[in-house]
């Protein structure tokens, strides 16, 4: 069911500093900040030859990643995103196996303009999993 690794997300305390570090110290291709108010984050995508890094910073009062950054003030790997061909079929399959889908259970449109869902980290070895339909 899951396909390519679409991105690895890192929550950062300072988005501009992290973006500059990837651009200047690591020589990576760094995109512009994208506000995603529906998700409570601002994101910066770093394009690598085989996947992307998604830098995340809280946006708004009730960002879902605020708690993560309070627990990890220096930042840290926040989630991994796998691609799926049919996100509803994937969701239904996973729920049938007892996995918890976060939020309303209905996909939201993510930063790439595609439907995304999140699976509870406690059901996936402590790793927050995002699925993106491609
Ligand atoms: C613009 C969209 C973009 C895209 O790619 O398209 C995005 O990726 S948006 C990314 C931001 N949105 C989300 O992360 C939505 C899904 N996340 C959530 O709903 C929450 O972050 C949640 C429920 C995973 C955690 O929320 P919170 O930290 O407030 O809850 P708890 O403190 O109760 O945490 C419960 C339990 O989970 C552990 N935890 C929390 N976050 C993570 C994480 N990223 N990875 C692994 N584990 C995590 C937390 O430590 C608690 O564990 P415990 O042992 O009980 O302390
Ligand atoms: Co993501």
């Amino acid at each position: 069911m899951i396909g390519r690794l679409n991105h690895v997300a890192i929550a950062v305390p300072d988005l501009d500093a992290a973006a500059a570090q990837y651009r200047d110290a690591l020589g990576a291709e760094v995109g512009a900040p994208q506000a995603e108010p529906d998700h409570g984050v601002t994101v910066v995508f770093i394009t690598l030859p085989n996947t992307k890094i998604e830098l995340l910073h809280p946006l708004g009062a009730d960002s879902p990643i605020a708690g993560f950054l309070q627990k990890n003030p220096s930042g840290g790997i926040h989630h991994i995103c796998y691609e799926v061909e049919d996100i509803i079929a994937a969701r239904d399959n996973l729920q049938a196996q007892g996995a918890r889908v976060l939020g309303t259970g209905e996909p939201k449109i993510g930063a790439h303009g595609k439907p995304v869902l999140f699976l509870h980290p406690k059901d996936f070895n402590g790793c927050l999993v995002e699925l993106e339909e491609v």
Side-chain angles (χ1 to χ4, degrees), residues 7 9 36 39 41 43 45 54 56 64-65 67-68 71 77-79 81 102-103 109-112 116 118 120-122 126-128 130 132:
H7 62 269
E36 295 287 345
H39 292 268
V41 293
V43 303
F45 276 102
E54 180 184 61
L56 292 174
I65 74 166
F68 182 89
K71 288 180 185 168
I77 293 178
H78 185 261
H79 64 270
C81 180
L102 296 169
I109 298 302
H112 295 132
V116 299
F118 288 86
H120 202 288
K122 295 299 181 192
C127 179
L128 178 60
E130 178 182 8
E132 178 174 322

Side-chain angles (χ1 to χ4, degrees), residues 10-16 34 39-44 54-60 63 65-66 69:
I10 303 172
V12 298
D14 183 332
L15 193 59
D16 292 338
Q34 270 174 246
H39 292 268
V41 293
T42 302
V43 303
V44 167
E54 180 184 61
L55 302 179
L56 292 174
H57 188 72
L59 175 64
S63 170
I65 74 166
L69 270 177

